[in-house]
Amino acid sequence: MTAVVDRPDRASEAGPGQPARTASPRLLWVHAVGLFVVLLALLPLIGADSVFSADEGAAMLQAELLDRTGQWSEANPFPRIDPAGERFGVHLSHQLDDGTFTYFGRRPAYALALRATTAVGLGLAGAIALSIMGTVGAALAAAHLTRHLRPDLDRVALWVTGLLSPLAFNSYWVIAHALAAAGVGWALV
């Protein structure tokens, strides 16, 4: 059984007559910017005028509530339909002890990030841009992790993670999956 040893000088291990493989961090950032541009270029084909899941709707409602009232919760907005608040119609909503409702309050960091995009007038397109940035961040983390094992495949890992993994789909959803993947990836780096 052999142990894997992390050697930073691995790029200079080329054999006789072979050029040394060097992995340029600057070149990797150029590829990351390229991935961001490609994902943005696909946005008009996919659209940024609607959400696809109830999770996205709840997240956007929470950001809108924060923007509109500055509060995390509000009174039952449907008192005539559901006076007791027992069958509240928003997925992921949560009734607090005081009888008010929060839509996506259990994930406050993401709701605050969405609020920031709506506060500057970007709306849903800005929320999707956050997911695209998350995908690029996760792909960049994957490239850095790959560099420790195979420095010559770091750019391949970036493009495969960004365009051929499920993160490519998460790039266009207003859910925190892509941002979470980036966070986990950078925690590993």
Side-chain angles (χ1 to χ4, degrees):
M1 186 173 220
T2 60
V4 176
V5 178
D6 184 24
R7 296 181 298 206
D9 62 339
R10 191 170 191 179
S12 62
E13 291 181 4
Q18 295 177 342
R21 294 181 307 200
T22 58
S24 168
R26 192 171 121 223
L27 184 58
L28 191 57
W29 281 101
V30 170
H31 282 268
V33 169
L35 175 62
F36 183 75
V37 168
V38 168
L39 291 172
L40 275 181
L42 293 173
L43 188 56
L45 296 172
I46 294 165
D49 56 351
S50 63
V51 294
F52 298 103
S53 75
D55 295 4
E56 293 178 284
M60 292 301 290
L61 277 172
Q62 186 67 52
E64 188 271 331
L65 175 65
L66 285 168
D67 197 40
R68 182 172 38 89
T69 68
Q71 302 293 317
W72 284 96
S73 64
E74 68 179 345
N76 185 350
F78 312 110
R80 295 177 75 193
I81 297 170
D82 184 19
E86 295 173 354
R87 291 171 181 83
F88 195 66
V90 178
H91 179 63
L92 296 179
S93 63
H94 181 71
Q95 186 173 15
L96 304 177
D97 292 337
D98 63 359
T100 61
F101 288 87
T102 182
Y103 301 108
F104 206 74
R106 293 183 182 179
R107 293 152 188 93
Y110 188 57
L112 288 171
L114 291 176
R115 181 183 182 203
T117 65
T118 58
V120 295
L122 296 176
L124 185 57
I128 292 171
L130 278 178
S131 292
I132 290 173
M133 288 188 288
T135 296
V136 173
L140 198 54
H144 279 282
L145 290 169
T146 301
R147 181 175 284 174
H148 290 286
L149 301 172
R150 293 281 307 267
D152 56 328
L153 293 179
D154 58 350
R155 292 174 299 280
V156 172
L158 181 134
W159 286 100
V160 167
T161 303
L163 290 179
L164 300 177
S165 76
L167 287 174
F169 297 104
N170 288 332
S171 296
Y172 306 103
W173 285 19
V174 183
I175 50 179
H177 295 179
L179 291 170
V184 168
W186 283 104
L188 288 171
V189 171

